[in-house]
Amino acid sequence: MSKATSLQELSNQNEFIGRHIGPDAADTELMLKQLGLDSLEQLVEQAVPESIRLNEAMKLGGAVSESDALAELKEIASRNKVYKNYIGQGYHDCHTPLVIQRNVLENPGWYTAYTPYQPEISQGRLEALLNFQQMIIELTGMDMANASLLDEATGAAEAMAMAKRSNRVNKSTVFFVDEQSHPQTIEVVRTRAGFFGFELHIGPISDIAKTDCFAAYVQYPGTDGEVPELKSLADALHSKDAQLIVGADILSLVLLESPGAQGADIVVGSNQRFGIPMGFGGPHAGFFAFREAHKRTTPGRIIGVSIDSRGKQALRMAMQTREQHIRREKANSNICTSQVLLAIMSAFYAMYHGAEGVKRIANRVHFATKVLAAGLEKQGYKIRNSSYFDTLCVEVDDRQQALMQRAVDSGINLRAVGKNAVAVSLNECTSEDDIKDLLSIFAGSGFSDVFEKLEDLAASIEAIPPALLRKENALQHQVFELYHSETDMLRYMKRLESRDVALNLSMIPLGSCTMKLNATAEMVPVTWPEFGKMHPFAPLDQAQGYLELFEQLEAMLATCTGYDAISLQPNAGSQGEYAGLVAIANYFKANGESERDICIIPSSAHGTNPATAHMAGMKVVVSPCTIDGNVDIEDLKAKVEQYGKRIAAIMVTYPSTHGVFEEDIRDICALMHSIGAQVYVDGANLNAMVGLAALGEFGGDVSHLNLHKTFCIPHGGGGPGMGPIGVKNHLAPFLPSHPLQEVKGTKLENGVISAAPWGSASILPISWMYIRMMGKEGLTDATRYAILNANYVAEKLKEHFPILYTGKQGRIAHECLLDLRPLKASSGITEEDIAKRLMDFGFHAPTMSFPVAGTLMIEPTESESLAELDRFCDAMIKIREEIADVESGKLPQDNNPLVRAPHSLDDMLEEWDRPYSREEAARPLPYLHDHKYWPYVNRIDNVYGDRNLLCSCPSIDNYADEV
Ligand SMILES: *Cc1c(COP(=O)(O)O)cnc(C)c1O
């Protein structure tokens, strides 16, 4: 019996920490013993250089239990006021089908998956993404589409860059922007254009024909509702070798003639209103569709159709060699993490409703708008736009303020346009009562009309010019007809999910990606309506809960990094890098040092770094690494000597992408500062540091943090993510701003990075919950255990595979590189063979050939228990034995379980004539008798897919051919 004398004593306030961190006390003891250590402290002393170690605890609160943290967050959320939003401007209320919410958005089988670099174990999300591309291709009328960008505004900026990149004939540097574009798009484009040296011409679309430009961006329909005819614009642009880029509303495309059919060259937009909550700005998927001629210059990832080694149809990311990880120079863009989970949700939305269902939704929104227009006109109001889909711009003379106020008093948000007009955008959720409420507000009295009469009037309104009505229905592919019952939808989603390996199946030891626990308690608030139903441009007095959340999270992240100020705007690490370099450029501009245009980047850098430097108008100078994998400080000194005050910044990753804490980091920072340059520390690897060392403390001026790595936002199969940046005080005045919301302490001329002022606001509760539940002790322990788990794996594997780099005392940070080049020389077995073979063991491969070709980079994270680490190491050791059999000649080089991996059920069921057994192929270790994952396809042919690029859904008949 316990002799407790208080309830408090029996409560386990810190329970969450033990749930988040894999190893328990007994495991820890065993692991330390294996490493020849007495304590975790001793390991930290050996792994983390003294020169950077913090000597006091972080100034964060203590750990809070799951239920207390949730209650606290619920209280914060309750300060958000969920009004009816008719603000529009790219964000609209909609219904998320609950079968999709529960089985995708709230399902770890989908949200904990990684970007599908290993296609054989990602066929489920690849198929869902292919469906997304098919949906976008049909709606936009274009040849091809990618698998998502971060939002509509950055999509527009990427389109601008691509239009220039792909056009060598037109020498103009002017980019035309329709003045009816959404304001956030104009500002994001303006910021990018400045660094590319483009001049923006913002004007009415009637100016396009007479403006010398290389491309024009047109909003379809315009932000105030008008539906422009695109064909004549496309013709005018094409006649001067310029391109037409269209920013399209996805729901309107169901009814409107597609931009593709009217000659558009690139079409971008947001998938938000296809079933994704507004979430105060995100996350949503930006879509991006283009002509086939653009396929090699397009940003983002494209899912393509290929075949596997049996000739069975299989999907993969097309043209993967363009991936920024691999190709440092001439990247098409810096996009890495995109918005896979949201793209998939919207594809399911279209499949669930089908062509007819989606059309009914679009028709309903459009008809509701006509009813509203009829009622307003009856009241004597003039509608400014002569055509519309869902948005009316109503002339209200001097009554604007009074009307807006009356609306707010009734819990309704309208949008002011200029001084004398009000815009109203209707949506999928708008009901008859909502229309009556709106008409009452405009009337200034109760609704006294007869609704049916208004409907009669509406039926005779022609709000879309006949020439702009879609001739051929969209969503005609069979996949949109197959899953209309909830049972069928549910089973289809489950079927796809079961083809994939995600964190709910086994550890995903991807170096540099930090695949750690995404706890349920962290995920639960994401679907609270207090967070989901908020429009990003709603008046801020309605968003006090969000503002409180931002303020608290910013303070937490500042403490974790040693920085003074945080911007939550960037939607991914790549965008954080860009925001950081923009801040640096603006800082130098303000100080009269605009001549600084060089960014030094070590050769081991993540591919996003140089791509970002180019976007920020900087020239990249690559600095080599020493044979120990560290930045070569002597070479750096020479570069400083050579380029002097032309150097704007260095971008270093810390701990390095080689998985080591470099001893010289303080000296590197000091050297750069000695010539007035800035230090950008890529903080994607923060998981090895929180609580033990701080970027801002040892010399960083600015960093991005990947909340989807260190701070537990799940990877979603390749997004969403969040890449906020931290800066020291001197850069704080240069953080990103926004045209439609006041972002405290910023000015519009700082530039705008994302469409939404606080990026993907609705997933920030995940990181808040994590930090709150871990507290300062928990977070520091997580770091210690990330280092312990990595060193334990390195210790167990080092006699089987050489570890490429270690720190001075023989320890690594949170990840390690296995050097497989010697094995390749002795056996012909490649890192790819090992990656594929791991699938037979039910594991996702570690990061392959980054940052060094011929290596695997393992990052176990703190969340894996000793049992799981051992299981993974056993698999790796078993694989090493198989390689030994190839080396010794016991197994032929071209017919062994490695080169023929992964093994599918098809392999098992056919006649067996291989020099190894079925058992060895499929169940090489005993634990596989307990649970076996079967790869859905065999090894996929990369070359075939790129030669025959197909990024839309093949006809269903192809699927029927499989067996
Ligand atoms: C993941 C990563 C990035 C890019 O982050 P995204 O969110 O994918 O854009 C940049 N640098 C490093 C070192 C990374 O590991």
Side-chain angles (χ1 to χ4, degrees):
M1 279 297 280
S2 115
K3 290 264 172 56
T5 55
S6 77
L7 204 54
Q8 179 66 29
E9 236 175 280
L10 288 169
S11 312
N12 192 350
Q13 283 295 318
N14 290 341
E15 198 167 57
F16 180 76
I17 300 174
R19 302 265 191 241
H20 175 84
I21 294 174
D24 61 16
D27 291 348
T28 308
E29 206 171 304
L30 284 170
M31 294 163 77
L32 287 169
K33 208 159 158 201
Q34 176 99 19
L35 289 164
L37 295 167
D38 300 325
S39 67
L40 264 179
E41 265 322 302
Q42 201 187 353
L43 172 63
V44 167
E45 275 164 29
Q46 291 181 4
V48 187
E50 164 117 58
S51 60
I52 63 161
R53 240 180 289 143
L54 294 174
N55 35 32
E56 54 180 285
M58 287 187 294
K59 292 192 176 58
L60 264 187
V64 166
S65 74
E66 291 188 23
S67 52
D68 287 353
L70 281 169
E72 195 177 322
L73 190 59
K74 192 77 189 179
E75 196 281 316
I76 293 174
S78 72
R79 285 184 244 167
N80 286 337
K81 294 186 201 150
V82 179
Y83 282 20
K84 297 258 177 185
N85 287 296
Y86 304 107
I87 298 170
Q89 291 185 305
Y91 302 89
H92 306 267
D93 202 1
C94 63
H95 293 298
T96 307
L98 290 173
V99 66
I100 298 174
Q101 176 173 321
R102 172 155 294 188
N103 296 288
V104 179
L105 182 58
E106 297 175 337
N107 175 356
W110 285 97
Y111 67 67
T112 68
Y114 182 63
T115 310
Y117 281 109
Q118 295 291 341
E120 292 85 356
I121 52 173
S122 313
Q123 290 296 301
R125 54 195 186 277
L126 285 164
E127 182 168 320
L129 285 172
L130 196 73
N131 296 342
F132 170 77
Q133 290 177 179
Q134 176 73 33
M135 168 180 93
I136 297 301
I137 288 169
E138 291 197 45
L139 286 168
T140 58
M142 301 298 287
D143 302 330
M144 294 186 160
N146 75 13
S148 81
L149 292 181
L150 293 163
D151 59 30
E152 174 168 330
T154 53
E158 294 286 348
M160 167 179 71
M162 179 163 107
K164 189 69 194 162
R165 189 162 65 227
S166 61
N167 187 342
R168 279 165 214 229
V169 184
N170 185 317
K171 301 283 181 217
S172 171
T173 54
V174 174
F175 185 64
F176 187 97
V177 180
D178 171 10
E179 64 186 11
Q180 274 290 301
S181 302
H182 296 319
Q184 69 275 19
T185 302
I186 297 179
E187 292 310 319
V188 167
V189 166
R190 191 198 304 278
T191 302
R192 292 260 187 120
F195 290 100
F196 286 133
F198 302 154
E199 191 189 319
L200 281 201
H201 181 124
I202 303 172
I205 51 175
S206 54
D207 280 0
I208 287 178
K210 57 177 189 251
T211 307
D212 178 32
C213 59
F214 67 89
Y217 180 82
V218 176
Q219 194 85 49
Y220 186 67
T223 198
D224 294 341
E226 192 81 47
V227 187
E229 188 265 337
L230 302 172
K231 174 89 175 49
S232 59
L233 304 177
D235 290 345
L237 286 159
H238 293 159
S239 72
K240 51 189 166 198
D241 289 311
Q243 298 181 20
L244 174 63
I245 303 165
V246 175
D249 172 88
I250 192 166
L251 189 60
S252 73
L253 290 181
V254 177
L255 301 185
L256 296 178
E257 182 60 298
S258 74
Q262 299 182 69
D265 299 282
I266 307 171
V267 184
V268 304
S270 164
N271 76 340
Q272 183 265 314
R273 62 197 306 191
F274 266 30
I276 318 295
M278 288 186 286
F280 206 47
H284 313 130
F287 63 78
F288 193 93
F290 48 92
R291 297 277 171 213
E292 180 159 14
H294 279 136
K295 69 184 179 195
R296 300 210 180 263
T297 52
T298 191
R301 298 177 171 130
I302 305 171
I303 308 309
V305 181
S306 188
I307 52 171
D308 74 357
S309 60
R310 308 179 143 266
K312 171 169 156 177
Q313 181 177 297
L315 309 175
R316 56 184 279 283
M317 292 199 291
M319 301 180 288
Q320 267 194 60
T321 42
R322 297 177 334 140
E323 281 290 325
Q324 285 73 29
H325 286 82
I326 294 160
R327 236 177 81 163
R328 192 167 299 125
E329 297 81 25
K330 293 196 184 134
N332 283 330
S333 98
N334 72 342
I335 292 288
C336 184
T337 291
S338 56
Q339 302 280 14
V340 168
L341 192 72
L342 300 314
I344 286 174
M345 282 178 66
S346 65
F348 285 142
Y349 173 95
M351 298 168 82
Y352 193 40
H353 289 297
E356 287 310 314
V358 171
K359 197 168 169 184
R360 188 186 48 71
I361 293 168
N363 270 321
R364 188 176 178 283
V365 170
H366 184 52
F367 190 73
T369 314
K370 290 202 264 189
V371 174
L372 179 64
L376 289 171
E377 279 173 344
K378 228 171 138 211
Q379 289 179 21
Y381 282 102
K382 184 173 178 311
I383 313 285
R384 199 179 273 177
N385 40 324
S386 58
S387 62
Y388 53 83
F389 165 64
D390 65 355
T391 300
L392 304 174
C393 185
V394 191
E395 310 239 342
V396 296
D397 304 323
D398 55 359
R399 284 166 289 171
Q400 190 196 53
Q401 284 312 310
L403 254 165
M404 297 285 293
Q405 189 56 48
R406 205 145 67 218
V408 163
D409 292 343
S410 322
I412 288 173
N413 289 321
L414 305 174
R415 173 161 59 95
V417 177
K419 296 245 177 302
N420 307 325
V422 165
V424 189
S425 298
L426 301 191
N427 58 63
E428 186 187 350
C429 303
T430 306
S431 66
E432 182 175 326
D433 284 344
D434 291 333
I435 298 172
K436 289 178 183 166
D437 289 346
L438 283 167
L439 286 170
S440 308
I441 286 163
F442 277 93
S445 57
F447 180 77
S448 54
D449 240 313
V450 179
F451 198 77
E452 290 70 24
K453 287 227 173 97
L454 295 181
E455 287 183 322
D456 288 346
L457 284 171
S460 62
I461 297 179
E462 193 174 85
I464 300 172
L468 291 182
L469 281 173
R470 189 176 262 274
K471 313 275 169 322
E472 283 167 32
N473 280 337
L475 308 178
Q476 292 303 293
H477 192 280
Q478 280 163 287
V479 297
F480 301 109
E481 293 311 312
L482 296 175
Y483 312 109
H484 296 172
S485 81
E486 181 166 333
T487 303
D488 288 340
M489 188 78 241
L490 176 71
R491 289 180 188 153
Y492 178 59
M493 294 188 301
K494 184 70 200 171
R495 196 156 82 229
L496 293 191
E497 179 198 337
S498 66
R499 288 179 192 168
D500 290 7
V501 170
L503 275 179
N504 64 341
L505 192 75
S506 51
M507 81 187 258
I508 300 186
L510 279 163
S512 205
C513 300
T514 315
M515 302 292 290
K516 54 158 75 173
L517 171 74
N518 314 117
T520 314
E522 292 154 8
M523 294 302 294
V524 161
V526 171
T527 42
W528 288 349
E530 296 94 321
F531 289 131
K533 287 264 178 200
M534 297 291 290
H535 192 287
F537 310 144
L540 288 184
D541 63 320
Q542 296 167 24
Q544 290 302 306
Y546 260 124
L547 293 187
E548 177 69 34
L549 173 79
F550 300 154
E551 202 177 310
Q552 290 192 16
L553 184 62
E554 286 174 13
M556 289 167 169
L557 295 176
T559 305
C560 290
T561 54
Y563 283 116
D564 301 312
I566 302 283
S567 164
L568 295 173
Q569 195 173 105
N571 275 320
S574 63
Q575 307 300 294
E577 292 172 24
Y578 173 60
L581 292 191
V582 168
I584 288 175
N586 284 334
Y587 165 77
F588 283 132
K589 197 165 145 207
N591 292 351
E593 294 185 74
S594 292
E595 74 283 2
R596 291 186 184 265
D597 65 344
I598 287 176
C599 187
I600 297 180
I601 301 183
S603 59
S604 60
H606 194 271
T608 50
N609 292 184
T612 305
H614 287 143
M615 278 169 63
M618 294 184 189
K619 295 185 179 59
V620 173
V621 169
V622 177
S623 89
C625 290
T626 63
I627 49 164
D628 313 322
N630 295 332
V631 172
D632 184 342
I633 195 153
E634 290 311 316
D635 179 85
L636 204 58
K637 282 180 186 155
K639 295 217 153 69
V640 164
E641 196 66 28
Q642 185 182 353
Y643 299 110
K645 289 202 174 339
R646 274 193 67 194
I647 301 175
I650 186 170
M651 288 182 99
V652 282
T653 304
Y654 202 81
S656 78
T657 46
H658 292 148
V660 181
F661 289 103
E662 289 174 47
E663 301 274 339
D664 293 335
I665 187 67
R666 262 186 205 281
D667 298 341
I668 292 168
C669 296
L671 175 64
M672 301 316 292
H673 289 152
S674 72
I675 52 156
Q678 297 288 292
V679 177
Y680 187 103
V681 186
D682 182 327
N685 289 347
L686 204 66
N687 210 40
M689 276 195 298
V690 179
L692 296 182
L695 306 163
E697 189 278 328
F698 62 67
D701 296 295
V702 44
S703 296
H704 72 268
L705 329 171
N706 277 12
L707 299 189
H708 47 302
K709 293 178 181 171
T710 309
F711 294 98
C712 295
I713 290 178
H715 284 247
M722 270 297 279
I725 58 171
V727 294
K728 296 299 274 184
N729 269 327
H730 64 285
L731 291 177
F734 304 99
L735 288 174
S737 182
H738 198 274
L740 298 174
Q741 292 287 29
E742 192 203 337
V743 181
K744 251 196 212 150
T746 68
K747 307 178 292 288
L748 195 54
E749 69 248 36
N750 292 4
V752 180
I753 304 299
S754 307
W758 293 277
S760 297
S762 66
I763 51 174
L764 293 175
I766 301 169
S767 298
W768 186 96
M769 281 294 292
Y770 172 62
I771 296 171
R772 197 74 189 97
M773 292 190 295
M774 293 294 274
K776 57 180 176 228
E777 321 85 3
L779 288 174
T780 312
D781 262 350
T783 310
R784 294 188 182 106
Y785 275 92
I787 296 172
L788 175 67
N789 280 4
N791 277 281
Y792 176 78
V793 170
E795 181 72 23
K796 277 199 83 162
L797 294 183
K798 75 177 184 200
E799 57 185 280
H800 308 279
F801 301 92
I803 307 290
L804 197 51
Y805 301 117
T806 56
K808 269 205 179 126
Q809 308 207 41
R811 299 296 178 199
I812 56 168
H814 61 308
E815 59 192 10
C816 66
L817 278 165
L818 303 188
D819 190 357
L820 305 172
R821 291 168 296 188
L823 287 182
K824 188 175 176 182
S826 62
S827 67
I829 299 298
T830 64
E831 67 280 10
E832 183 162 32
D833 297 325
I834 296 176
K836 304 304 176 194
R837 182 61 175 146
L838 274 168
M839 296 170 183
D840 290 328
F841 291 83
F843 282 109
H844 190 294
T847 301
M848 229 171 68
S849 288
F850 169 79
V852 182
T855 62
L856 289 179
M857 179 159 58
I858 300 172
E859 177 181 3
T861 84
E862 71 278 13
S863 296
E864 299 303 337
S865 64
L866 176 59
E868 184 71 356
L869 297 176
D870 279 342
R871 210 165 66 86
F872 174 73
C873 290
D874 289 347
M876 289 297 293
I877 292 165
K878 179 79 187 162
I879 287 174
R880 181 64 189 89
E881 289 166 12
E882 292 173 352
I883 298 172
D885 286 345
V886 179
E887 282 172 319
S888 70
K890 197 170 149 203
L891 283 168
Q893 271 203 3
D894 61 350
N895 192 6
N896 58 63
L898 293 139
V899 295
R900 303 199 72 170
H903 295 83
S904 66
L905 259 179
D906 293 332
D907 291 328
M908 296 302 114
L909 296 174
E910 73 175 5
E911 205 172 316
W912 193 260
D913 56 358
R914 305 188 187 185
Y916 55 98
S917 72
R918 284 190 174 98
E919 190 70 21
E920 285 166 320
R923 292 199 297 212
L925 284 177
Y927 73 79
L928 293 160
H929 286 253
D930 188 39
H931 181 68
K932 168 70 186 168
Y933 162 84
W934 288 102
Y936 176 66
V937 294
N938 284 91
R939 184 120 26 135
I940 295 178
D941 188 332
N942 291 328
V943 181
Y944 179 91
D946 283 349
R947 280 216 195 105
N948 309 283
L949 185 62
L950 175 63
C951 68
S952 52
C953 295
S955 154
I956 295 283
D957 303 340
N958 291 29
Y959 289 92
D961 285 347
E962 276 166 20
V963 278

